[in-house]
């Protein structure tokens, strides 16, 4: 697994209080018990970690780890 | 805990009350020379400037730890009848009293949500409920705080952060000392309890809303006004 995904995973584990092995590409935020506030908090943590900027509307339709990861990686 | 505008008046009375009951208290003041009279930790903060807010809160976090209770109290008046009120008189009061509250709450709430516990109390005013001739700007800002607080209350309810307001009536502070004797007498006459309130009486209401016991109270406006706003 790439270094970027490790960094992403660390953020998710920290913010969402989940186990590292739960943070897999196909996991949905719903399955991780993450609500909209969690998602916002995760994005803020990722923005800091990867030094990127995510606009509010870009989060529309993002429901999975894969979706969020792809969005962040596309900005690096 | 953090109190904005805590170097005098209601803010200072609140700081003294919380300090006396064992809280680690920090207050903000606009100018460094605005020190509270007692031994209370003071940080310089201009609530109209996000960078200043960030620096002030960071300083408090470094000294006392994360802010678990916020009393958003910093406020100014720029009174005048609407026809004589400059746009800047309006927008500057909004920027301090309303947007300032937003800036500080936004800065501290992140840690509260992570801790799954937090208390935010905004100091509004009876004029935010009933309006006041000569205070369109101030009344608008204080009414605006109700919408802000209730939205925050809903956004962060799932994180066990409660957000409430107190709405003081006429209280014996510097803000009121600026009025004429006739104006103060008229205010007192309008109050069913027929006197001015004391800053400590507002502090007591704030202390309740910030307490563990008030855990099921959120989005409420607690009037401390001698009955002025009833009806």
């Amino acid at each position: 697994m790439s270094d970027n995904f490790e960094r992403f995973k660390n953020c998710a584990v920290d913010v969402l209080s989940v186990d590292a092995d739960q943070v897999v590409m196909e996991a949905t935020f719903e399955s991780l018990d993450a609500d909209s506030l969690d998602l916002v908090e995760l994005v803020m943590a990722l923005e800091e970690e990867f030094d990127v900027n995510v606009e509010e509307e870009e989060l529309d339709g993002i429901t999975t780890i894969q979706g969020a990861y792809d969005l962040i990686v596309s900005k690096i | 805990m953090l109190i904005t505008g805590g170097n005098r008046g209601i803010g200072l009375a609140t700081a003294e009350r919380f300090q006396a009951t064992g809280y680690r208290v920090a207050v903000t003041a606009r100018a460094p020379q605005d020190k509270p009279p007692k031994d209370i930790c003071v940080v310089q903060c201009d609530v109209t400037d996000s960078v200043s807010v960030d620096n002030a809160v960071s300083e408090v976090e470094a000294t006392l730890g994360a802010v678990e209770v916020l009393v958003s109290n910093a406020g100014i008046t720029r009174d005048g009848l609407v026809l004589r009120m400059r746009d800047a008189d309006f927008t500057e009061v909004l920027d301090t009293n309303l947007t300032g509250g937003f800036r500080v709450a936004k800065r501290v709430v992140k840690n509260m949500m992570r801790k799954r516990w937090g208390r935010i109390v905004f100091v509004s005013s009876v004029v935010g409920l009933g309006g006041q001739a000569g205070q369109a700007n101030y009344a608008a800002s204080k009414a605006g705080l109700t919408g802000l607080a209730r939205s925050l209350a809903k956004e962060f309810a799932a994180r066990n952060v409660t957000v409430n307001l107190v709405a003081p009536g006429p209280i014996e502070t510097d803000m009121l000392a600026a009025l004429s004797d006739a104006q103060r007498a008229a205010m007192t006459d309008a109050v069913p309890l027929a006197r001015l309130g004391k800053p400590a009486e507002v502090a007591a209401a704030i202390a309740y809303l910030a307490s563990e016991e008030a855990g099921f109270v959120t989005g409420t406006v607690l009037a401390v006004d001698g009955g002025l706003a009833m009806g």
Side-chain angles (χ1 to χ4, degrees):
Chain A
M1 203 53 83
S2 73
D3 179 46
N4 280 341
F5 190 69
E6 277 305 312
R7 288 163 65 194
F8 180 99
K9 189 193 279 190
N10 288 338
C11 285
V13 166
D14 184 38
V15 174
L16 306 179
S17 302
V18 293
D19 294 331
D21 57 13
Q22 290 177 275
V23 185
V24 291
M25 287 297 190
E26 53 274 20
T28 64
F29 289 108
E30 199 182 348
S31 73
L32 297 173
D33 273 334
D35 62 12
S36 58
L37 266 186
D38 287 319
L39 196 51
V40 170
E41 212 186 341
L42 175 60
V43 168
M44 286 164 70
L46 291 167
E47 285 181 324
E48 205 167 300
E49 171 69 26
F50 291 94
D51 195 21
V52 295
N53 187 31
V54 178
E55 299 299 329
E56 205 54 43
E57 54 269 21
E58 293 178 288
L59 297 174
D60 287 348
I62 294 205
T63 57
T64 62
I65 292 291
Q66 177 92 59
Y69 180 66
D70 289 347
L71 176 64
I72 296 296
V73 169
S74 74
K75 290 172 172 290
I76 299 175
Chain B
M1 72 161 305
L2 176 64
I3 303 166
T4 63
N7 54 303
R8 56 188 173 153
I10 291 169
L12 175 60
T14 305
E16 288 169 342
R17 168 154 187 140
F18 277 83
Q19 189 138 301
T21 49
Y23 283 81
R24 283 170 297 166
V25 178
V27 302
T28 73
R30 235 180 311 173
Q33 66 271 23
D34 291 341
K35 285 205 189 313
K38 304 231 171 95
D39 178 30
I40 294 167
C41 168
V42 58
V43 294
Q44 195 274 326
C45 180
D46 175 0
V47 296
T48 66
D49 175 1
S50 295
V51 175
S52 173
V53 168
D54 185 33
N55 290 340
V57 175
S58 296
E59 191 180 333
V60 172
E61 287 171 342
T63 320
L64 305 178
V67 176
E68 296 178 343
V69 176
L70 167 68
V71 178
S72 178
N73 166 72
I76 58 170
T77 55
R78 204 67 63 79
D79 295 353
L81 295 172
V82 165
L83 290 175
R84 305 275 297 168
M85 189 178 282
R86 295 177 306 129
D87 285 7
D89 293 332
F90 192 89
T91 54
E92 284 168 24
V93 168
L94 265 286
D95 196 25
T96 298
N97 298 9
L98 177 58
T99 318
F102 163 76
R103 292 186 186 97
V104 180
K106 181 180 173 184
R107 175 61 181 77
V108 300
V109 77
K110 199 174 162 193
N111 270 319
M112 292 180 181
M113 63 185 274
R114 304 209 87 180
K115 291 198 159 180
R116 300 290 192 267
W117 199 95
R119 296 279 187 267
I120 299 176
V121 181
F122 288 96
V123 178
S124 179
S125 166
V126 67
V127 308
L129 305 169
Q132 179 68 41
Q135 291 198 305
N137 47 6
Y138 185 75
S141 72
K142 294 301 190 178
L145 286 175
T146 308
L148 170 63
R150 289 182 165 164
S151 302
L152 288 168
K154 289 184 174 174
E155 281 196 25
F156 296 99
R159 295 297 183 276
N160 198 32
V161 176
T162 68
V163 187
N164 292 287
L165 308 99
V166 291
I171 307 296
E172 292 165 2
T173 62
D174 290 352
M175 217 178 245
L176 233 70
L179 303 178
S180 71
D181 287 348
Q183 282 173 311
R184 274 203 303 280
M187 273 185 174
T188 309
D189 287 345
V191 175
L193 286 174
R195 64 173 176 87
L196 301 178
K198 298 183 191 328
E201 291 174 313
V202 181
I206 293 170
Y208 165 67
L209 292 171
S211 71
E212 186 65 43
E213 288 174 294
F216 200 52
V217 179
T218 197
T220 199
V221 183
L222 179 48
V224 186
D225 64 356
L228 183 58
M230 277 191 290

